[in-house]
Amino acid sequence: MAGKNDQDTNAINDEIRASEVRLVGDNVEQGIYPIDQALKIAEEQELDLILIAPQAEPPVCRVMDYQKFKFQQRKHAKEQKAKSTKLVVKEIRFGPQTDEHDYNFKLKHAIGFLKEGAKVKSYVFFKGRSILFKEQGEVLLLRFANDLEEYGKLDQMPVLEGKRMTIMLSPKKPGKKKEGRDDAPVADTPVQQDNTPDEE
C-alpha cells in the first residue's frame, strides 16, 4: 500500500475519519460500509482506501492503488491543460495594399503559428480613405487563407468589423500537410505594391 507526500490532498486509509463510507469502483461490491470493514476490504486486496468525495453523505471512497490514483489525476490534469493551450490565437495584420515581400514574410509566420497548434486571426486594417479598398482587402485575405490551406482551415469568411476585415484559421491535425511546402509559398497572383507605412 502506498505512502504519501506533503503535496497529496486525498485522505487515505487510517487518515479517513468518517464512521462509515460509500465504496465505489469495479473491484468492490458498491454500498455503504463501516470504516473498519471498508479498510479491511482494501487491505485484503492489498490496495488503498482513498477518500474521493469528503463532502458527500456518507463520504465516498474508492479502493485502488494510491500511486495509480495519483497518476490518473496527473494524466487528467495534463489533458485539461493541453486542451486549454489550443485556445491560443495569434494575430497577423495587413494593410489593404500589402507588397509581395511583406505578404510572404507574414505568410511564413502564419505557417509557423499553425504548425505550433495556434489559431491565426488575420485582418486588414483600413485607415482613412483606404476603406475604399475593402474589396481588395477581401481578395488579400482569401488568398492568404488559400495559401495556408495545407496548414489550417478557414473558420469564417472575411468579416468587416469597423475598420478591420477579419478571417480566422484553425490548425489542421498533423499528417495532412503535403510534401514540398515547408517554406512559405510564393503566390502566383501579384499584389499591388504599397510604399506607405502600415499604421493604425
Side-chain angles (χ1 to χ4, degrees):
M1 300 198 322
K4 295 178 64 178
N5 60 47
D6 293 338
Q7 295 179 342
D8 293 335
T9 56
N10 295 86
I12 64 171
N13 302 325
D14 294 335
E15 297 173 353
I16 301 170
R17 300 305 180 196
S19 59
E20 62 179 15
V21 296
R22 181 183 299 277
L23 291 188
V24 298
D26 299 330
N27 55 342
V28 297
E29 185 175 340
Q30 299 189 22
I32 297 174
Y33 295 85
I35 186 63
D36 291 343
Q37 187 177 351
L39 286 167
K40 185 176 180 182
I41 291 171
E43 187 177 356
E44 286 174 350
Q45 298 187 45
E46 297 185 350
L47 296 172
D48 298 290
L49 186 66
I50 306 168
L51 183 62
I52 59 172
Q55 304 302 322
E57 186 60 44
V60 180
C61 293
R62 183 179 294 277
V63 175
M64 68 181 298
D65 179 75
Y66 186 71
Q67 294 304 324
K68 183 178 180 181
F69 173 76
K70 296 304 292 182
F71 172 78
Q72 289 179 351
Q73 281 194 323
R74 287 193 296 270
K75 183 179 178 182
H76 178 70
K78 187 176 180 180
E79 289 173 351
Q80 292 300 112
K81 184 177 180 181
K83 288 179 181 179
S84 67
T85 59
K86 293 178 182 177
L87 301 176
V88 173
V89 177
K90 301 286 189 177
E91 288 194 349
I92 301 284
R93 167 183 157 160
F94 292 101
Q97 295 173 299
T98 298
D99 65 43
E100 193 71 18
H101 174 77
D102 191 37
Y103 175 86
N104 283 308
F105 178 77
K106 292 177 178 180
L107 182 65
K108 191 169 184 178
H109 273 285
I111 290 172
F113 294 147
L114 291 167
K115 282 183 174 181
E116 292 169 3
K119 285 194 170 196
V120 171
K121 181 180 183 180
S122 179
Y123 65 92
V124 177
F125 181 78
F126 300 99
K127 180 184 177 183
R129 296 183 63 186
S130 67
I131 193 68
L132 298 172
F133 296 101
K134 62 182 179 180
E135 289 82 7
Q136 190 169 335
E138 183 176 5
V139 170
L140 175 65
L141 290 175
L142 291 174
R143 173 192 172 193
F144 192 63
N146 184 66
D147 288 344
L148 291 169
E149 65 179 351
E150 294 177 8
Y151 306 91
K153 61 180 180 179
L154 184 63
D155 291 342
Q156 67 176 34
M157 295 296 286
V159 175
L160 184 63
E161 300 170 336
K163 294 183 178 181
R164 292 185 180 190
M165 183 175 286
T166 306
I167 59 171
M168 183 76 76
L169 297 120
S170 294
K172 285 189 175 180
K173 293 181 180 179
K176 291 189 176 182
K177 183 175 69 67
K178 297 178 183 177
E179 295 295 328
R181 290 292 297 273
D182 288 335
D183 294 321
V186 177
D188 296 327
T189 307
V191 174
Q192 184 176 346
Q193 296 286 328
D194 177 28
N195 296 322
T196 57
D198 184 9
E199 299 178 352
E200 294 285 352

